[in-house]
Amino acid sequence: MNVTQTEGLLGMIAVIGILGLLVLPAVIGIVHDKIIDRQISRAQREEVTQTKETKETRRPSRPRGHHGAARPV
């Protein structure tokens, strides 16, 4: 390997390293957003499940009167 090839290799490694340093924060941000989206989705599913369970275990309410209004036929 001569001097020109070595300089070319070092330059290519430097460019790839700088590119990695520039891209790394973006990749970390994307991964962080995906994790938060999964947590939000899981919390919403749990909330819906708890709401359904609460409705099923609650006593049925009495039918409401019409307060003097005519009953529908």
Side-chain angles (χ1 to χ4, degrees):
M1 216 172 168
N2 61 21
V3 175
T4 307
Q5 289 175 332
T6 305
E7 286 179 359
L9 181 63
L10 288 175
M12 187 171 54
I13 291 173
V15 168
I16 291 173
I18 292 171
L19 179 67
L21 288 174
L22 291 174
V23 171
L24 186 63
V27 172
I28 291 172
I30 292 169
V31 171
H32 186 260
D33 287 346
K34 293 281 185 184
I35 291 170
I36 291 193
D37 287 343
R38 287 181 189 152
Q39 290 174 347
I40 291 171
S41 297
R42 187 180 318 128
Q44 288 174 342
R45 282 194 308 262
E46 289 175 1
E47 183 179 350
V48 168
T49 304
Q50 289 175 354
T51 304
K52 285 181 181 178
E53 290 174 356
T54 304
K55 286 182 179 179
E56 291 173 357
T57 59
R58 201 174 10 167
R59 286 187 353 195
S61 61
R62 294 183 3 202
R64 294 183 178 183
H66 292 285
H67 302 291
R71 291 184 177 215
V73 179

